Amino acid sequence: MVSLKVNGTTHSVDVDDDTPLLWAIRDNIGLTGTKFGCGVAQCGACTVYVDGQPVRSCVTPVSAVGDSEITTIEAITGKEAEAVQAAWTARDVPQCGYCQSGQVMSAVALLKENKKPTDRDIDLAMNGNLCRCATYVRIRAAIHDAARALEI
Amino acid sequence: MTAHDPNLSRRNLSRRTWLKGAGALVIGLHLPGTARAQSSGAGAAFRPGGNATFAPNAFIRVAPDNSVTVLVKHIEFGQGPFTGLATLAAEEMDADWSQMRSEHAPADVKLYANLAFGVQGTGGSTAIANSWEQMRKAGATARAMLVQAAADAWKVPAAEITVVSGVISHASGKQGRFGEFAEAASKLPVPENAPLKPASAYKLIGKEGAVKRLDSYDKSRGKAQFTIDIHAPNMLTVVVARPPRFGGKVASFDAAATLKVKGVVDVKQIGSGVAVYATGMWPALKGREALKVSWDESAAEKRGSRELIAEYRALARQKGTTAGKHGDAEAVLAKADKVVEAEFVFPYLAHAPMEPLDGYLQWDGTEALARFGSQFQTTEHQTIAAILGLPPEKVKLETMLAGGSFGRRAQVSQHLAAELAMAAKAIGPNRPVKLVWTREDDLAGGYYRPLFVHRMRGAVKDGKITAWADNIVGQSFFLGTPLEAMVVKDGIDATSVEGANELFYEIADFNCEVANPKVGVPTLWWRSVGHTHTGYAVECFIDELLQAAGQDPLSGRIALMGDKHARAIAVLKAVGEMANWKGPGPVGDRARGVAVVESFGSFVAQIAEVSFVDGEPKVHKVWCAVDCGVAVNPDVIRAQMEGGIGFGLGHALYGELTLDQGKPVQANFDSYRSLRIQEMPEVEVKIIASTVAPTGVGEPGVPPIGPAVANALAALGQQRPRQLPMVGRTV
Ligand code: FES
Ligand code: FES
């Protein structure tokens, strides 16, 4: 039994210690907004926050999480999350949409750290998130939109 | 993603031919005629549309809460049919966009056949093209019935009633919304020929900003449900150990260690390998890791990419099957003073959709429900029923949103549906299964864009291109399948030569030959199919010949088109204006390249501005002009061009699936390099205004970008890359 604090609720999950957080969240806790794309920290589809920091849950074993607060796409809140998600919808960023939970998680984390990211900042913060549909033009534009919205 | 031209009166009937041959009915445009709405099959057969009370036809549901749900027969995997088909229906209904919803139609060939194929399926960039009439008629019919219901209730002539943004009104001051009349409308006869709007009256079709994607909200919030997200009580997750080489088989296996892994429930041999059943994905993966399988590789393909390329190069020097010919290119080449030669080599490519293949199936021995991102519903439905030994009417197939496809889900062999059914059958009834492929399974799993070689020769005399010869070698997707006899006609598989056996360019002596060697590697169409390699070979080589002839790449192309290809010329001119084309350059450290390709009835020209940084091409900006007929959703078209450019560019630069002695080398995204945000150029798209019936946009954005970049590299003083990918090639 491992105890995980996800989105403010503590869950006891019956998994081995080496189970990646991703599968505990998806299969045991039943939150499926966090996606599987590669399993080896190459695509970012599985991005969640551990104590507010974005991590790749596919390579983070549950044993490494301890009693940290885990936040998934289902529970992101605050003005950055609202601005990013509003910009994503207004720009119609998603195509297939499968990578977009991870994209949104990374973008929100960026804006929390950096209120006015440059293109270079966006490259650095987002280059771990693959999009096979290549929605990158709109991801970039939507992050700039969200940053502008946060200024007001 | 696939063949072919939605304009079926023209060439390339292969897709449609095989689907017909797959034993399905060919049903024409289906709209219930005079049948009563409630008995029009669809209403009774399934539950889509939620609490709808008015179902005038197979495509539209109106609920008491005024919501209008469009049942979309094409799978949504990003290319936008949920939004596009809803736009067509909403336009004719005069609905307000905020009341529109979309969901997948169930598998039902009688109601939902793709009119281009004769069976239900998505591909060939046909979604908008073949729903253009059908969805508008469905919308117009629904509107006419709602108006009649209001007229009856208000006791006024229907002709005096107007509908604006979902509000039905009459000059007397009476007003109502769709939901109020849904029930009454459902009792009316379905009119035969509800009139369609003239284009001048459109409020949504082709209007910038009138429509937003219906799926963006959920997809930005982790709420969209994909196959991998399905959970059910008692469900088992299944992963399969498959042979490391194509054509291998299980000789024997030892599951002792696997069965000791906590969470593993069972292990079964199935047709495709050894299936591990577990309570979740992680135990399934650990169980598979612990499995010992010995493989019988006696019939496996053991050649690698290197050997295949050498064989193909040799084959390209022999006489192939003629796929296009006029004049006598060989004679002119033999006598020419100046012959330009180039050999282009294209690697195997994986589609690598972001969501790897997966599927869910539950059955109780007499009935089954399959849920997955099915792209060819009719044939997959039949396959599942056949494997489970159930009559087709006892099997329901529900199409899920899919995290991309790029052709991967358009399965000629239906291997995924078959594996899903086999996995369910092997464990027995009442154990729902979710089959999941990992990324490693995906990349090692075959069904690649085939490896191709183009050997090109051209003659140039007095500033004119006088001869062109192209010898193409590569696998056909159909050779060695039961469909071979149906699809490969006179030795020519159109998907190998499309875009190369007829050119825009008028060259007096022209020859195109093809050889389709048999190789034991499963291959499949890949976003833009034959154009993935023919577009590159043709557009690089014409550029090289124009350079040899001392002509400008853009005006030289137009001059070679004569007066026959107005739409191709228009997109070239438009893209030249957008980019303010003044020749390829270089200017400073940047140069420009151009390319134009027609695919799936749409015309796309692109100009790429490129520099060379740290040993790699850096693409700064791409201008793109597209003519896809009537532009139903301009912003979806722009998105497809942007995405197509990113997809095409990523593979031209980095994409390569190498076989080493028959084994796939690139295992995951660490080695199967995929375009990332810092590598994505700025993109500017212009959509050419048109009144021609719409054609597709899912694929046509892909082919021009590779050659445009290669041609820019030539202007930077380098050779156009003869072998792809341009960066980090391993062969
Ligand atoms: S699934 Fe974790 S980074 Fe790809
Ligand atoms: S939207 Fe499809 S992978 Fe990003």
Side-chain angles (χ1 to χ4, degrees):
Chain A
M1 279 291 179
V2 181
S3 176
L4 290 173
K5 215 167 172 191
V6 180
N7 301 338
T9 308
T10 303
H11 300 262
S12 286
V13 292
D14 184 16
V15 296
D16 285 350
D17 276 1
D18 61 354
T19 304
L21 182 56
L22 171 66
W23 298 115
I25 289 172
R26 288 182 53 86
D27 287 352
N28 300 86
I29 298 174
L31 293 168
T32 56
T34 307
K35 299 297 191 235
F36 163 70
C38 70
V40 293
Q42 287 292 319
C43 78
C46 64
T47 306
V48 300
Y49 302 154
V50 176
D51 289 335
Q53 292 303 311
V55 304
R56 307 301 183 218
S57 64
C58 68
V59 292
T60 307
V62 290
S63 58
V65 180
D67 55 4
S68 301
E69 299 268 358
I70 299 153
T71 311
T72 69
I73 181 80
E74 285 88 351
I76 50 169
T77 51
K79 58 187 196 318
E80 292 85 4
E82 279 164 31
V84 164
Q85 288 177 320
W88 244 245
T89 311
R91 282 260 175 200
D92 274 347
V93 172
Q95 290 187 25
C96 83
Y98 192 79
C99 73
Q100 298 294 343
S101 297
Q103 305 283 1
V104 165
M105 295 298 279
S106 292
V108 171
L110 166 64
L111 287 175
K112 284 191 179 182
E113 292 281 312
N114 181 343
K115 296 288 159 227
K116 224 177 160 5
T118 62
D119 279 335
R120 170 102 184 120
D121 297 334
I122 292 173
D123 285 348
L124 290 173
M126 303 300 295
N127 78 10
N129 287 85
L130 279 184
C131 176
R132 290 289 292 168
C133 301
T135 61
Y136 300 123
V137 169
R138 290 174 189 226
I139 289 173
R140 185 182 301 284
I143 292 174
H144 286 309
D145 290 349
R148 267 191 297 277
L150 287 169
E151 272 174 18
I152 304 161
Chain B
M1 296 291 138
T2 44
H4 267 131
D5 198 320
N7 181 352
L8 288 166
S9 63
R10 295 175 55 192
R11 56 189 190 246
N12 294 347
L13 288 161
S14 58
R15 166 77 52 83
R16 189 167 169 242
T17 314
W18 82 254
L19 283 162
K20 265 204 245 175
L25 283 169
V26 180
I27 304 283
L29 175 73
H30 179 93
L31 274 177
T34 49
R36 294 252 157 196
Q38 289 300 346
S39 59
S40 64
F46 49 80
R47 55 170 176 68
N51 59 347
T53 52
F54 174 42
N57 50 56
F59 302 104
I60 291 174
R61 300 286 175 272
V62 180
D65 67 358
N66 298 314
S67 65
V68 177
T69 302
V70 172
L71 302 187
V72 178
K73 63 185 184 178
H74 307 276
I75 181 173
E76 172 68 79
F77 38 53
Q79 83 285 33
F82 268 29
T83 304
L85 271 54
T87 303
L88 301 178
E91 181 69 69
E92 293 294 341
M93 290 182 79
D94 285 310
D96 191 72
W97 187 244
S98 63
Q99 72 194 117
M100 300 306 293
R101 316 275 181 270
S102 278
E103 54 185 67
H104 282 127
D108 186 336
V109 69
K110 292 192 212 60
L111 297 173
Y112 300 117
N114 184 321
L115 306 177
F117 306 162
V119 295
Q120 192 173 351
T122 304
S125 296
T126 57
I128 286 286
N130 104 78
S131 291
W132 170 241
E133 289 282 326
Q134 194 173 49
M135 290 306 304
R136 286 185 302 142
K137 283 187 182 170
T141 305
R143 182 190 189 279
M145 294 169 77
L146 289 164
V147 164
Q148 189 59 53
D152 293 349
W154 297 339
K155 307 208 177 354
V156 300
E160 288 178 8
I161 286 179
T162 56
V163 186
V164 178
S165 297
V167 178
I168 306 173
S169 47
H170 182 258
S172 60
K174 298 239 194 283
Q175 256 194 10
R177 305 199 62 202
F178 292 175
E180 291 165 43
F181 300 103
E183 176 150 12
S186 72
K187 303 201 167 81
L188 295 172
V190 179
E192 196 74 67
N193 272 319
L196 295 180
K197 280 184 183 177
S200 57
Y202 289 160
K203 296 198 174 72
L204 301 176
I205 293 173
K207 302 295 177 211
E208 288 287 352
V211 158
K212 303 298 287 178
R213 282 187 71 117
L214 292 174
D215 49 358
S216 287
Y217 185 91
D218 282 354
K219 286 177 173 178
S220 305
R221 285 160 183 78
K223 289 187 175 161
Q225 223 208 354
F226 298 88
T227 305
I228 200 170
D229 303 331
I230 296 172
H231 274 265
N234 208 24
M235 183 186 85
L236 296 172
T237 301
V238 183
V239 298
V240 176
R242 299 179 192 83
R245 286 189 172 90
F246 301 110
K249 288 199 294 276
V250 178
S252 63
F253 69 97
D254 171 1
T258 301
L259 290 165
K260 288 197 193 108
V261 173
K262 182 171 138 190
V264 169
V265 172
D266 212 339
V267 177
K268 300 275 186 199
Q269 184 173 342
I270 61 173
S272 58
V274 182
V276 177
Y277 301 77
T279 52
M281 187 67 174
W282 188 244
L285 290 174
K286 274 173 88 172
R288 185 170 69 171
E289 195 69 36
L291 193 64
K292 293 194 189 67
V293 188
S294 69
W295 302 101
D296 169 5
E297 296 197 317
S298 53
E301 176 59 74
K302 298 192 188 70
R303 283 173 290 180
S305 298
R306 199 178 297 277
E307 293 77 36
L308 290 171
I309 291 168
E311 286 177 31
Y312 288 13
R313 285 194 144 131
L315 274 174
R317 283 170 173 70
Q318 295 168 20
K319 176 102 189 98
T321 308
T322 302
K325 182 174 167 69
H326 49 259
D328 189 346
E330 290 301 338
V332 177
L333 285 164
K335 285 199 217 109
D337 297 335
K338 187 166 179 185
V339 173
V340 181
E341 295 198 42
E343 213 164 279
F344 294 101
V345 179
F346 302 89
Y348 287 113
L349 291 175
H351 310 72
M354 205 69 214
E355 178 188 20
L357 297 183
D358 44 14
Y360 170 85
L361 199 151
Q362 65 183 55
W363 69 306
D364 60 8
T366 53
E367 288 195 341
L369 169 66
R371 307 176 70 201
F372 65 107
S374 174
Q375 192 166 343
F376 286 165
Q377 287 91 343
T378 302
T379 45
E380 291 180 324
H381 182 237
Q382 290 165 349
T383 295
I384 291 168
I387 291 174
L388 292 177
L390 295 176
E393 62 275 13
K394 292 287 178 196
V395 177
K396 284 204 172 66
L397 169 57
E398 196 179 310
T399 305
M400 301 290 293
L401 291 175
S405 170
F406 315 121
R408 186 66 182 87
R409 298 177 204 274
Q411 295 177 4
V412 178
S413 71
Q414 299 146 56
H415 71 89
L416 178 70
E419 188 175 71
L420 177 61
M422 291 187 295
K425 191 175 184 188
I427 191 91
N430 303 315
R431 278 326 293 264
V433 294
K434 180 165 73 178
L435 169 71
V436 183
W437 287 44
T438 62
R439 181 61 56 201
E440 289 83 358
D441 296 339
D442 172 51
L443 292 177
Y447 299 95
Y448 306 128
R449 193 287 302 272
L451 192 157
F452 264 89
V453 167
H454 283 247
R455 176 178 174 236
M456 328 267 312
R457 288 165 299 145
V460 176
K461 193 173 183 206
D462 304 330
K464 277 193 66 171
I465 300 168
T466 54
W468 174 290
D470 184 358
N471 286 70
I472 306 173
V473 183
Q475 281 171 262
S476 155
F477 321 124
F478 299 108
L479 284 173
T481 75
L483 305 166
E484 175 174 345
M486 269 174 274
V487 174
V488 181
K489 289 276 185 296
D490 302 326
I492 306 293
D493 171 359
T495 65
S496 296
V497 299
E498 56 188 358
N501 63 338
E502 278 175 46
L503 307 184
F504 291 134
Y505 310 114
E506 285 174 13
I507 297 170
D509 294 277
F510 172 87
N511 194 34
C512 176
E513 294 177 11
V514 62
N516 290 131
K518 299 208 180 199
V519 180
V521 178
T523 58
L524 193 57
W525 27 55
W526 186 99
R527 195 175 185 179
S528 79
V529 196
H531 302 281
T532 59
H533 53 94
T534 61
Y536 188 88
V538 168
E539 284 298 292
C540 280
F541 198 58
I542 195 73
D543 213 72
E544 191 157 346
L545 293 178
L546 285 168
Q547 192 180 10
Q551 295 190 36
D552 176 78
L554 202 147
S555 57
R557 276 177 172 76
I558 292 172
L560 280 175
M561 291 183 187
D563 51 8
K564 289 211 189 72
H565 303 285
R567 295 175 77 186
I569 291 171
V571 289
L572 273 173
K573 285 191 170 156
V575 82
E577 275 167 32
M578 289 167 76
N580 193 18
W581 175 265
K582 295 194 172 64
V587 175
D589 62 351
R590 296 186 184 189
R592 290 168 167 199
V594 64
V596 60
V597 177
E598 177 197 358
S599 57
F600 312 96
S602 294
F603 296 76
V604 179
Q606 291 168 5
I607 291 174
E609 185 168 281
V610 181
S611 67
F612 208 72
V613 183
D614 301 332
E616 290 190 13
K618 165 87 186 156
V619 183
H620 300 273
K621 169 127 193 195
V622 177
W623 294 267
C624 172
V626 51
D627 174 357
C628 54
V630 174
V632 174
N633 297 123
D635 198 51
V636 171
I637 295 167
R638 264 195 300 275
Q640 285 307 301
M641 292 300 119
E642 293 162 6
I645 287 166
F647 191 82
L649 178 62
H651 292 89
L653 290 176
Y654 317 121
E656 147 181 74
L657 202 301
T658 309
L659 299 182
D660 181 14
Q661 297 178 33
K663 287 190 188 173
V665 172
Q666 291 79 10
N668 206 316
F669 286 130
D670 46 1
S671 46
Y672 194 72
R673 185 172 166 189
S674 186
L675 193 87
R676 292 180 185 272
I677 191 167
Q678 72 276 15
E679 294 145 355
M680 181 76 198
E682 200 185 317
V683 176
E684 196 177 315
V685 178
K686 181 180 165 115
I687 302 165
I688 308 287
S690 172
T691 53
V692 177
T695 43
V697 293
E699 297 168 271
V702 174
I705 184 64
V709 171
N711 293 332
L713 291 175
L716 284 171
Q718 308 195 18
Q719 196 187 50
R720 289 170 189 79
R722 299 289 202 226
Q723 188 168 349
L724 294 181
M726 298 180 185
V727 177
R729 203 152 42 75
T730 64
V731 183

